[in-house]
Amino acid sequence: MARSAPALVAVFVLVPALLLAIAAAQGPPLPPTNPSDAAALHAVFRQWRLEGDAAAEDPCGKGAWSGSFAVNASVGCDCSSGVECRITQLNVTGYRNITEIPPALFNLTELVTLDLSNNYLSGSVPREVGNLSKLETWHFNNNNLSGYFPHESSLLRNLKSLWMFDNYIEGPIPEFIQNLTNLTDLRLYGMKLQGPIPQNVSKLINLENLMLGDLEGNYTSFDFVENWANLSTLSLRKCGLTGQLLSPPRNLPKLKYLDLTSNNLSGSIKLLLQYKDSLNFMDVSYNPSVNGTLRSIPAGQKWPINYIGTSVDANGTINSGSLTILNCLRMQECNGNDLTDHATSFAINCGGKETSYSDRMPTVFSEDSTDLGGAGFHVNTTSHWVVSHVGSDPFSKSPGIVQDILDTDMLELYKTARTSTGALRYYVVGLANGKYTVQLFFAEIVIVDGPGRRVFDIDIQDRNIRKDFDIAKEAGGSRKPTNITHEVIVDNSILVIHLYWSGRGTCCIPYEGAYGPLVSAIKVTHFQDPKISPPQAPHSGSSRQDEKRRGIIAGIAALCIAAAVISSSVVYLWWKWVSLVKRSMA
């Protein structure tokens, strides 16, 4: 017992000391939340049904209601006064049941950060947003908001980051944006906004990321781009841009990402090559009047540029077989004699190796596993098809090929896919003219849980066949296959399948860059109307042949039964006759 006394003394000394150290590390208790802020937050959370058992808790003391990457409900506070805490940050993202913006939200006048992205907010942005004059971060992206930007938004002079993509907001890009000179990150796309881009956007000299796109209406001169010293990301996809490619040249020393896809720009590609060494990504595709020559590149290197759909001369960068096919796509110097096989069918395993798949008839799906990098294209000179990948996420290295690693019962054909954060185009060159059946194979193998949504559009032969296509919604869940079948006419020996992102859907669930089109396989066959030209192959497995077989089998079976009945009757009659003869003789 005597020996244990020092140990007990040590325990009694060390435990209080340890508790005091923990308390000191945690700091003094937070002062209470400002009563007005607390009342406003409780009212907002009650309307959103987020409070649960925390209705009586102090908001700044609680901090987080949910804190996962996909679903988040949390507040941040400034308690520096020592008397009370003011709510300065509100993040509520990823809730499907949140559809309204409560009026009490705009009583949180000390907010610096407001992130309500990836919910289902609807209606227009309330004018009371002007009350939040201290806002620096305003993210309302990936909702169902509509109407116009309220003019009261112009009061948010401290804004540094404005994200408003993937909504239904309409009208012109507001002129007052030019007055938000503290902006460093502006993202407006995937909505119903109209051009032109205001020329005075050039005043936003602090911009680091400028992403505008999917503008309707009037054309925009490219002159608004100025010498922005801090600009790293410039994405102006589908903005109706006209004029020369950054001529005269601009001083953009930090530019890493340049996307000018699908505009009406002109001029020589050389105007952009001054930025080539610093750029991680450059895309000028589908600007038909962009021209010039690309010099040859050393073996093993790749250009960080996509120029398909332009008039750029790239003879020095690709082989002659690929050049023949690309010239046919541009309808320039197309030597049809070089395309000797006028195919009537083809199949591609998008993102995967060559594989066989049996439906009504066995089909070999060609390999399509080339890494296209941030932007590029691949020419299959054997089967005369091209895949073009346009667009790359500027903030992450998005995989162009994805694979489902789980052991599911899906067919192998659906377990790999090619994807893009911009657009995928598949071209088939040298098809025999006529009517074709196009079959597209899909399965969502990336966004498999949480509130993420992949939404994209599909065109075939420059005609839209699906708008806001959602694979998981169409299939009834993720990791479930679904197909689209469409009939088209080929009249110039070229078939074009275009899958593209229009700024809709989530961008960052389960990771940044998880958006845009995804396709597992493509199959194209020459159309045959069964009423006019029924399949003649005996092994085709068609229902008409099955019915014919069943009819023949049934007929043979009936004849056999009839023969058996007649034979039995003859034997019975013979036996009866023999019996009668024996009786008469007896």
Side-chain angles (χ1 to χ4, degrees):
M1 293 291 292
R3 291 182 179 179
S4 64
L8 291 173
V9 171
V11 170
F12 282 113
V13 172
L14 292 175
V15 169
L18 182 61
L19 293 175
L20 288 173
I22 293 174
Q26 292 177 341
L30 292 175
T33 304
N34 172 276
S36 176
D37 287 1
L41 187 78
H42 284 310
V44 169
F45 276 24
R46 276 196 304 272
Q47 186 164 340
W48 286 342
R49 299 180 181 178
L50 294 179
E51 283 201 310
D53 298 331
E57 293 190 48
D58 184 85
C60 291
K62 182 174 178 61
W65 278 252
S66 174
S68 70
F69 176 74
V71 180
N72 179 37
S74 61
V75 298
C77 300
D78 179 5
C79 305
S80 59
S81 70
V83 178
E84 63 178 9
C85 295
R86 299 303 303 266
I87 296 176
T88 57
Q89 300 178 31
L90 177 59
N91 303 299
V92 180
T93 63
Y95 287 89
R96 297 177 182 272
N97 63 306
I98 293 181
T99 60
E100 297 179 346
I101 302 177
L105 174 67
F106 304 106
N107 293 331
L108 297 170
T109 55
E110 295 295 312
L111 280 179
V112 176
T113 297
L114 178 59
D115 185 353
L116 301 183
S117 59
N118 297 332
N119 297 304
Y120 278 74
L121 296 173
S122 59
S124 58
V125 177
R127 294 179 298 173
E128 288 77 9
V129 71
N131 296 346
L132 309 181
S133 59
K134 296 184 179 181
L135 268 189
E136 295 180 6
T137 299
W138 180 18
H139 293 176
F140 273 17
N141 53 286
N142 301 109
N143 281 288
N144 293 317
L145 294 168
S146 57
Y148 294 79
F149 272 104
H151 184 71
E152 287 77 6
S153 306
S154 62
L155 301 175
L156 308 181
R157 296 296 184 91
N158 293 305
L159 268 185
K160 295 181 179 179
S161 180
L162 173 57
W163 295 8
M164 198 64 72
F165 52 89
D166 186 17
N167 280 289
Y168 296 96
I169 293 175
E170 55 188 312
I173 295 179
E175 291 280 348
F176 65 72
I177 282 182
Q178 68 191 28
N179 299 322
L180 307 180
T181 55
N182 289 312
L183 277 173
T184 61
D185 194 343
L186 176 60
R187 309 186 193 188
L188 304 175
Y189 53 83
M191 299 192 288
K192 296 183 177 181
L193 291 177
Q194 296 179 340
I197 299 171
Q199 286 296 311
N200 285 334
V201 167
S202 60
K203 295 180 179 180
L204 304 180
I205 59 174
N206 293 307
L207 280 174
E208 298 174 9
N209 302 309
L210 177 60
M211 301 180 69
L212 307 177
D214 309 297
L215 300 182
E216 302 174 356
N218 298 324
Y219 290 118
T220 298
S221 170
F222 204 20
D223 296 339
F224 70 89
V225 176
E226 285 293 338
N227 297 320
W228 289 326
N230 298 316
L231 190 69
S232 174
T233 300
L234 179 59
S235 177
L236 300 172
R237 175 181 50 84
K238 293 184 181 179
C239 286
L241 296 177
T242 61
Q244 293 280 312
L245 288 170
L246 292 177
S247 179
R250 312 298 200 274
N251 182 26
L252 304 170
K254 295 184 178 180
L255 188 63
K256 298 292 184 185
Y257 180 100
L258 178 62
D259 186 356
L260 303 175
T261 307
S262 300
N263 286 293
N264 294 287
L265 294 167
S266 59
S268 173
I269 191 69
K270 292 181 180 180
L271 295 169
L272 297 180
L273 293 183
Q274 61 176 315
Y275 310 107
K276 175 183 171 295
D277 292 335
S278 64
L279 282 172
N280 297 326
F281 172 90
M282 186 196 307
D283 201 326
V284 294
S285 54
Y286 305 105
N287 285 277
S289 298
V290 170
N291 52 43
T293 302
L294 288 177
R295 59 180 174 81
S296 61
I297 57 175
Q301 293 187 15
K302 294 185 68 175
W303 290 90
I305 179 174
N306 192 338
Y307 53 85
I308 199 166
T310 69
S311 299
V312 170
D313 180 2
N315 289 5
T317 66
I318 54 180
N319 61 49
S320 59
S322 298
L323 186 62
T324 297
I325 295 174
L326 293 177
N327 283 338
C328 286
L329 290 182
R330 296 197 297 257
M331 300 302 173
Q332 296 176 354
E333 303 174 6
C334 180
N335 187 354
N337 294 327
D338 292 338
L339 305 176
T340 55
D341 298 326
H342 290 284
T344 57
S345 66
F346 81 101
I348 303 173
N349 183 19
C350 306
K353 301 292 185 180
E354 181 179 299
T355 186
S356 295
Y357 173 70
S358 295
D359 187 8
R360 293 186 173 182
M361 294 184 67
T363 303
V364 176
F365 286 77
S366 299
E367 179 177 345
D368 175 27
S369 59
T370 302
D371 181 7
L372 301 180
F377 57 87
H378 168 70
V379 181
N380 185 307
T381 55
T382 302
S383 302
H384 302 158
W385 57 265
V386 181
V387 56
S388 166
H389 156 53
V390 175
S392 176
D393 185 77
F395 309 106
S396 67
K397 187 177 180 180
S398 305
I401 293 175
V402 292
Q403 183 175 5
D404 188 10
I405 59 176
L406 291 185
D407 185 15
T408 63
D409 59 357
M410 280 197 310
L411 293 172
E412 290 297 322
L413 196 64
Y414 295 95
K415 291 184 178 181
T416 59
R418 186 175 285 283
T419 184
S420 170
T421 54
L424 292 172
R425 276 184 170 92
Y426 281 88
Y427 303 87
V428 187
V429 180
L431 280 177
N433 290 336
K435 191 174 183 180
Y436 287 82
T437 298
V438 178
Q439 201 171 6
L440 306 178
F441 299 70
F442 303 96
E444 180 55 73
I445 57 176
V446 176
I447 306 175
V448 295
D449 52 27
R453 295 180 298 118
R454 181 190 305 278
V455 178
F456 58 95
D457 298 346
I458 304 172
D459 291 0
I460 300 180
Q461 298 298 71
D462 296 325
R463 292 188 178 183
N464 181 257
I465 66 165
R466 296 298 291 266
K467 181 74 175 173
D468 291 344
F469 179 64
D470 184 331
I471 298 173
K473 184 177 180 180
E474 187 84 5
S478 60
R479 293 196 173 100
K480 294 183 178 180
T482 185
N483 297 350
I484 291 178
T485 300
H486 190 76
E487 295 174 1
V488 298
I489 299 294
V490 172
D491 55 13
N492 63 351
S493 298
I494 298 174
L495 174 66
V496 184
I497 300 170
H498 185 197
L499 307 98
Y500 56 99
W501 179 62
S502 292
R504 311 281 303 155
T506 54
C507 67
C508 310
I509 299 173
Y511 52 77
E512 287 192 11
Y515 61 92
L518 178 151
V519 60
S520 301
I522 298 172
K523 180 181 178 182
V524 175
T525 53
H526 201 271
F527 179 81
Q528 288 185 332
D529 189 336
K531 295 180 180 179
I532 300 174
S533 179
Q536 298 178 358
H539 58 279
S540 66
S542 68
S543 59
R544 180 170 294 185
Q545 287 177 316
D546 288 342
E547 290 175 3
K548 186 175 181 179
R549 289 195 189 103
R550 286 194 293 269
I552 293 171
I553 292 170
I556 293 172
L559 288 174
C560 290
I561 292 171
V565 170
I566 293 171
S567 299
S568 299
S569 301
V570 169
V571 170
Y572 176 77
L573 291 173
W574 176 82
W575 176 77
K576 290 292 289 182
W577 179 79
V578 170
S579 298
L580 289 174
V581 169
K582 287 182 178 180
R583 286 179 186 175
S584 62
M585 291 178 63

